[in-house]
Amino acid sequence: MDFLQWLQLLCVCLENRYMANNNSLFGVESLQVLYNDQVVIVQILIMIFLCINLLLIITFFKKECLYTTARYILFAVMLLSDSFLLFMSDILVIFTHFYITIQVWLCIIICVVVLVYTTVTPVTLAAMTLERYVAICMPLRHGELCSTRNTVNCILIIHGLSSVPCIIILSTFFASVSLRFYKQCQLCSVEVFMINIWQQHLRSAIYQFQFLIMCIIIVFSYIKIMKVAKAASGESKKSSRKGLRTVVLHGFQLLLCLIQLWCPFIEAALLQINFTLFYNFRFVNYIMFFLAPRCLSPLIYGLRDEVFFHTLKSYASFGLYKRNII
């Protein structure tokens, strides 16, 4: 029996016990209504975030200074990464809610996207932080180090580093199962690939090591930019302080992503206590530590950045103006 089958069996047992204690179906029906409401809320939030991301991506391609500048290119990569991840994770949420099973080989394709792009966003945050460090602390070399060509190479490196956990997880999975397993129907989840306990620990160790490196990069950049901000004056000081605030926001995003790695351990403990509490915590976890870091990106660069904001504003106003003429 794998983890998901055990989880389903435990859920059924807990619901049956809850029904027996209440001597009616009211408790189970109330739970089902609660779960349906939560899924509807998730769908609304994801649709809103996807629409915002789509608008920002379209804006990115509307002005040459945006798609030829390193930080905006990295921002667009992060928007695309978040959009892919939100869409694919939403498919998994719907599958899980309605108990839709698919063959394992198809689940592998879906989970490869989820595993890779779960890491792309925090790695891109670290790269954007380094770009701010170079722009503020090494302004004379910024044009050379952050050229369009180097940025494209950086994107390839980001995806290469983000693929490391996925490759390791799938390699241990391929070595642990037979060919017949791939044709079995399962509820699609990354947990399907965790055949042994040590695989879960290995996955957690890899992610936490990556996040430790990214935290070191952000703290290093913050300290260096802070030193420049203290020594600067006038316009340079204003630019340095703005860079500091951006690095702090990146650090906050990274912290939310890191907390997401610890939540499964809390969920496992809550599952043994109360199923309703477990499900509610899982819902809050998904909103706070999965969706929230992805919706902060448009706020940090889409609204705080003057160039991008003015481009977005002029694009939106021009569209409205055209509709009025027609």
Side-chain angles (χ1 to χ4, degrees), residues 42-246:
V42 168
Q43 301 310 305
I44 293 173
L45 290 176
I46 287 179
M47 287 301 297
I48 292 173
F49 295 154
L50 286 178
C51 290
I52 293 173
N53 286 356
L54 179 62
L55 177 61
L56 293 176
I57 291 169
I58 293 174
T59 303
F60 167 76
F61 288 104
K62 287 295 179 179
K63 199 168 185 178
E64 185 178 358
C65 69
L66 296 179
Y67 58 78
T68 57
T69 304
R71 60 174 172 162
Y72 298 122
I73 296 174
L74 292 174
F75 173 55
V77 169
M78 190 159 59
L79 287 175
L80 287 170
S81 166
D82 291 342
S83 299
F84 285 142
L85 186 59
L86 289 174
F87 180 73
M88 299 306 290
S89 67
D90 188 41
I91 292 177
L92 295 182
V93 168
I94 294 172
F95 281 2
T96 302
H97 180 73
F98 293 103
Y99 289 94
I100 300 174
T101 59
I102 60 175
Q103 291 188 340
V104 173
W105 67 267
L106 182 57
C107 179
I108 291 174
I109 297 175
I110 296 174
C111 286
V112 163
V113 178
V114 173
L115 286 169
V116 171
Y117 284 99
T118 295
T119 314
V120 165
T121 292
V123 175
T124 306
L125 285 175
M128 294 172 76
T129 301
L130 286 176
E131 188 276 333
R132 287 294 82 201
Y133 161 72
V134 173
I136 295 172
C137 300
M138 307 167 63
L140 298 180
R141 299 197 61 192
H142 181 260
E144 174 191 352
L145 295 176
C146 298
S147 63
T148 303
R149 181 178 180 180
N150 288 340
T151 305
V152 173
N153 293 333
C154 179
I155 293 171
L156 296 177
I157 293 172
I158 287 171
H159 282 77
L161 293 174
S162 302
S163 300
V164 171
C166 178
I167 293 172
I168 294 176
I169 290 170
L170 292 181
S171 297
T172 58
F173 169 73
F174 294 150
S176 303
V177 299
S178 62
L179 292 176
R180 290 182 301 175
F181 187 80
Y182 299 107
K183 295 184 179 180
Q184 293 182 11
C185 290
Q186 302 273 357
L187 268 176
C188 189
S189 168
V190 177
E191 300 297 337
V192 171
F193 310 126
M194 303 291 107
I195 306 299
N196 303 303
I197 297 296
W198 64 266
Q199 291 174 300
Q200 299 181 28
H201 295 321
L202 177 63
R203 178 184 65 169
S204 178
I206 294 169
Y207 279 130
Q208 294 197 36
F209 176 74
Q210 279 192 332
F211 276 85
L212 175 62
I213 299 299
M214 288 180 276
C215 287
I216 292 173
I217 290 174
I218 288 179
V219 171
F220 168 80
S221 301
Y222 180 84
I223 293 174
K224 290 294 185 180
I225 294 174
M226 186 171 59
K227 289 181 179 179
V228 172
K230 287 183 178 180
S233 60
E235 192 65 27
S236 298
K237 192 177 186 69
K238 181 181 178 181
S239 176
S240 299
R241 292 200 174 278
K242 188 175 181 179
L244 275 177
R245 289 193 294 270
T246 301

